[in-house]
Amino acid sequence: MSVHVDQEPTTSVPVPVPALEVRGLVKHYPGVKALDGVDLVVRQHEVLGLAGENGAGKSTLLKALVGLVRPDAGEIYVRGEPVKLRSVVEAANHGIGMVFQEQSLVPNLTAAENIVLGSEGIAVRRGLYRWNAMRRLAQEQLDKIGSSIDPLARTDTLSFADRQMVEIAKVLRIEERSQHPPVIILDEPTSVLESKEIETLFEQIRRLREFASVVFVSHRLDEVLDVCDRVTVLRGGQSVGEVATAGAVPGELHRMMIGSSGSDDHYHGNAAAPVLAEQPRLSVRGLSGKSFRDVDLDVAAGEIVAIVGVHGSGREDVCRALFGAEPTTAGEILMDGKKLELPGTRAACAAGIGYVPAERKTEGMVGPMSVAENMTLTKQKARCSGPLVAPKKQATLVDSWISRLSIRTPGRDTAIQRLSGGNQQKVVLARWLVGGDIKLLLLDHPTRGLDIGARSEVYRLMRELAGSGVATVLLADSLEEAIGMADRILVMNDGRVAAEVACPNGGKPSPLDLVKEMV
Amino acid sequence: MSTPVTTKPAAAPATVKGGPGPAQRLTSYMPLIALAVLLAALTIADPEFLTQRSLTAASRTAAPLIVLAAGATLVVLCGGIDLSIAALASVSTVFLALWLPELGALATPAVILVAAAIGALQGVAHVLLRIPSFIVTLGGMSIFSAVALVVSDAGTVRVVDDSTIAWLDLYVGGYVPMSLTVAVIVVVLISVVLKVTPLHSWISATGYSESAARLAGTPVDLVKIGAFCVSGACAGLAAVMLVSRQFSGSPTMADNLLLPAVAAIVVGGTAITGGHGSVWRSLAGALVVTLLRVGLPIVGVPSAYEQILYGAIIVAAVALTLDRSKVLIIK
């Protein structure tokens, strides 16, 4: 395997100008640097893989390439010419097109209509569809990729794989706008496909290489290595390396994705190993639902159990099911040995379960409401006497938590959306603590979008809560975080628990031990 | 508090971005400004307007509108809309007129209770069957109008003995109409109950972000059903006010109050997308709408133009108050 960073091979033949080049791209979001000077080179007629963990900056980079995100600094070059991409149309004019992760086809239109939608060209004359011209146009596009899909089939009657083909056929229409070979970006095209369909897609991608450059993104590293010529690895908004795929193995790639430092020290406070009682606080047996089957899970008081798995492993749904926010079809949940029925989120709250959702802005907090209202939203009793809100009790309670968690806010009546991400997250966490009856915390990516300082504060808080006897289920943002924080790790794969790995202080597993169970 | 949590204070200062700007502050006082401007304009157009007699008459007209708007405001705050209020009030006038002879003084609470129950039923349909409130109440509107026509034999039901509801037609201190007093009491009551109980948090959370409210364990479904129930009860109360003034019930009596009521809510500045707003705003909005209504003839506009005005007000008020940055797709 050859790892070389930004080094063009020196040959006597002049190197053709890259189809697409990105230099020093920077993008800030409030409280987080999504792109921190990323570099990328897409050569002509190659399939370039893009790998990186969640939050490495992949989606932001892709969005910048198709004009959906405007970078704060840095340049994009198309065939050596600097360009500004301000919209999808401008990107298409430069020959850059993207097949989106969420399928962007209109289900109740025919494949042909979808292919011409948005750039109808000769398919429309005097405001009217010319069906024959449209079908011809669509057929031409489908022929390019050698697909035998009937252009007059309704899109919702097609399989996922065929829809993917239609998307590619549609995206290839940008060829009409530019005389040069296009750059086609495929964002996680395999996530909804069966393995046989994936093989067809890969053949397709190899065929695309004949007349286009392809950027391929997938969470599954074996796929990336299978179909790509070269892989660029992103970490923390920067490109950390390039790998020629010939002879490379997923493990090496993964090590680059997570960095060589392994599990970082700042995760550990001065935490002692949890004292495990005989009876686990949470005990889950055979839990099944829409996207997970037969999940067994025990969490003792004071223990942090992380669940890791790739996108689509079902771990998010397990977490929501434990909070009564996702229906289950079988299995039972025991709290302190007692069977728990969770028809909805209120039952879970009453049982002392707290949930911090991954989408803080839309699900975790109510933006325009005050810090105090957000903090007391669940445990109303903590601020009320009888049925009435007691303003003094509320003020004392909220202020005490603001200072205990050192939440930086002008005051308790400030709208929570005006705080920084880390402080918002602390308010959301405090919501479950103000009642003083929290037994089990479900943390779904609690550090997503937070900067380093805010992250370590959340880590310290988690440690302290565990120290006080709260059982924690953690869906970590990265393997590194899971290994650093957890006492035990469950690996989920395709809706099932694939492995359980002890993760004590001083005996932490390496990310690679986990990765081999994940894929 | 059994959870001992202490975190060392960090050095970084509090990061706070964008509070309400001057433009936002101005829009939050919009209904009061509109009210003052209208009063001034009407006084200039007709110096006779600012007399006790015409103000009393105007406030009598305003009372049912205030009550209707106040109730429906709760539904809007939850992020829904209640289009059935006027039709429900109409059918309630018929019920009241029919029940007064037999039930006497009990007819009033009976009508309000029935209207509240019907409102709650719509809420249950909205929540359990997961139908948009707009559709549920549009259907309700049609059903209630038809029921009113059927039970009234498509005609006006006269009230012979109105002794038990005549008190609503009296004047407090000789000047202030009793109906207006009751309407203001309703607004105060709703607003105080919201203020001193967790209900305000629950309703706002539901309106601003239902998924966040649900994941915080807020009783979202109950809150919504409750809002529809209060909206129904208010429609019943508005019906009592209308009957006490007209000495009859009719299957279309309140129908022309739907648009003014919605106008009152949006002119008051309550966000049609839910969350932001208050019943006080709707009270001010209802007064603005009423002034426009009585003012049009004064400045010489035929009252046939009224509906054009309501339509325009609703669109304009929402255009001014809708925060489009929060709504990605406008349906």
Side-chain angles (χ1 to χ4, degrees), chain A residues 471-484:
Chain A
T472 307
V473 173
L474 169 69
L475 306 189
D477 223 24
S478 63
L479 282 181
E480 218 180 351
E481 182 177 300
I483 294 167

Side-chain angles (χ1 to χ4, degrees), chain B residues 37-87:
Chain B
V37 169
L38 265 178
L39 264 179
L42 286 176
T43 313
I44 294 166
D46 177 12
E48 295 287 291
F49 180 74
L50 213 57
T51 59
Q52 176 258 317
R53 238 187 96 219
S54 57
L55 282 183
T56 301
S59 53
R60 260 183 74 187
T61 346
L65 185 60
I66 293 170
V67 173
L68 274 182
T73 301
L74 292 181
V75 178
V76 174
L77 284 176
C78 289
I81 185 128
D82 190 346
L83 296 177
S84 72
I85 42 171

Side-chain angles (χ1 to χ4, degrees), chain B residues 17 22 38 55 110 155 194 198 225-226 239 256 269 277 282 291 313 315 325 331:
Chain B
K17 336 162 247 223
L38 265 178
L55 282 183
L194 290 194
I225 293 170
N256 60 354
S282 299
L291 278 187
I313 293 179
V315 175
S325 66
K331 283 199 174 171

Side-chain angles (χ1 to χ4, degrees), chain A residues 30 320 323 325 345-346 349 355 357 362-363 365-366 368-369 373 377-378 380 383-384 387-389 401 404-406 408 410 418-420 431-434 436 457 460-461 464-465 468, chain B residues 1-20 195-202 204-205 208-209 211-220 222 326:
Chain A
R320 285 174 95 91
F323 192 61
T345 53
R346 275 178 76 66
C349 292
Y355 174 59
T362 53
E363 295 194 330
M365 62 185 215
V366 185
M369 283 168 58
E373 278 183 299
L377 195 53
T378 304
Q380 293 288 345
R383 65 160 178 162
C384 290
L388 302 185
V389 173
W401 281 99
R404 278 164 100 170
L405 305 187
S406 52
R408 290 184 287 283
R418 293 177 60 201
L419 308 190
S420 70
R431 174 187 295 163
W432 303 107
L433 311 181
V434 296
E457 285 194 64
R460 204 182 311 154
L461 186 52
E464 281 165 4
L465 287 169
S468 72
Chain B
M1 223 67 54
S2 65
T3 354
V5 173
T6 47
T7 308
K8 280 171 226 131
T15 25
V16 169
K17 336 162 247 223
K195 197 168 177 57
V196 301
T197 64
L199 277 171
H200 179 261
S201 276
W202 286 344
S204 306
Y208 279 127
S209 171
S211 54
R214 249 178 232 286
L215 289 176
T218 300
V220 172
L222 278 179
K326 301 263 165 55

